[in-house]
Amino acid sequence: MISKGKMNLILLLCLTSIVSIGFSSWSFTENDPISETINGDFEVENIVISADYIYLDTTKGDNNTGISCFKYTNTGYLDADSIVTDRGYLKVYYKINQKKCAEFFNNFKSIKVNFTLTYTSDTATSLNIFNNHSDNDGDRSLSYSIITSSTYTSTVGSVNNVSYVFDITFTNLITNYSANLADEITLEVTYNFFATTGDYFRNNLYHGLFSNDIKFDVISKVSGVN
């Protein structure tokens, strides 16, 4: 049986001197289209909607949703040709409005984006898919990679309970911004899940993923930094 991972995307825009925080969230499952909601706490004349600053690139991803999530069977992840492999990829395709960020974070030099990947389950589970693990049958691990159109620095991904966290800083993005630059930055974040195929995947991942109906959540927080 072929199954597909599920995920949600939550985007936050933060600035310490701004009282209001707005967010846009997208829910994504195998059979349902993405639905968007806008929410936030704010003061009058001080409303920030993060969808104006960071958003999904809906020219990419599964069914042009801006998101693609791995498929798997009982012995491993599946590649594009439905062949069992030891790697599964969860990809999020972003666009960041450089012009609006430069205006909003005008007191800062750079923009930092914090990414937190978590998961929820319909039932209690002891599975922690983010932790490195090994036994006599094999092992598993998680890493990430970035493709972007702007200069950046990044931190090493770290696991905190059921969260996988890292930061990307677009260095001097605000300082160097000018009208002749592209208004949008493209950003592709890929979470690389590795697990030995066969008995290891079946015994350590498959039952936890499938039986507990694991759903991934990605929280992306944008802030100005010097």
Side-chain angles (χ1 to χ4, degrees), residues 159-177:
V159 178
N160 180 13
N161 285 327
V162 293
S163 298
Y164 182 80
V165 181
F166 66 93
D167 295 329
I168 301 173
T169 299
F170 293 99
T171 52
N172 294 319
L173 181 145
I174 300 172
T175 303
N176 295 336
Y177 178 75

Side-chain angles (χ1 to χ4, degrees), residues 47-121:
I47 304 173
V48 177
I49 299 177
S50 61
D52 292 337
Y53 298 83
I54 181 169
Y55 34 87
L56 295 177
D57 182 353
T58 55
T59 65
K60 301 177 180 178
D62 297 339
N63 301 315
N64 291 333
T65 58
I67 303 170
S68 63
C69 199
F70 58 75
K71 294 182 179 180
Y72 60 93
T73 186
N74 62 343
T75 57
Y77 298 109
L78 297 173
D79 66 15
D81 298 316
S82 296
I83 297 173
V84 173
T85 179
D86 57 11
R87 297 184 186 276
Y89 301 103
L90 190 159
K91 296 188 176 186
V92 185
Y93 303 91
Y94 297 97
K95 286 187 176 181
I96 299 174
N97 192 307
Q98 185 174 200
K99 179 180 179 181
K100 288 189 175 182
C101 284
E103 294 171 350
F104 185 78
F105 297 111
N106 58 72
N107 291 324
F108 298 89
K109 295 179 180 179
S110 304
I111 290 174
K112 181 173 72 174
V113 186
N114 172 266
F115 297 91
T116 301
L117 178 66
T118 65
Y119 66 83
T120 57
S121 174

Side-chain angles (χ1 to χ4, degrees), residues 142-155:
L142 172 61
S143 61
Y144 76 91
S145 59
I146 301 166
I147 299 175
T148 183
S149 58
S150 184
T151 303
Y152 72 95
T153 61
S154 60
T155 61

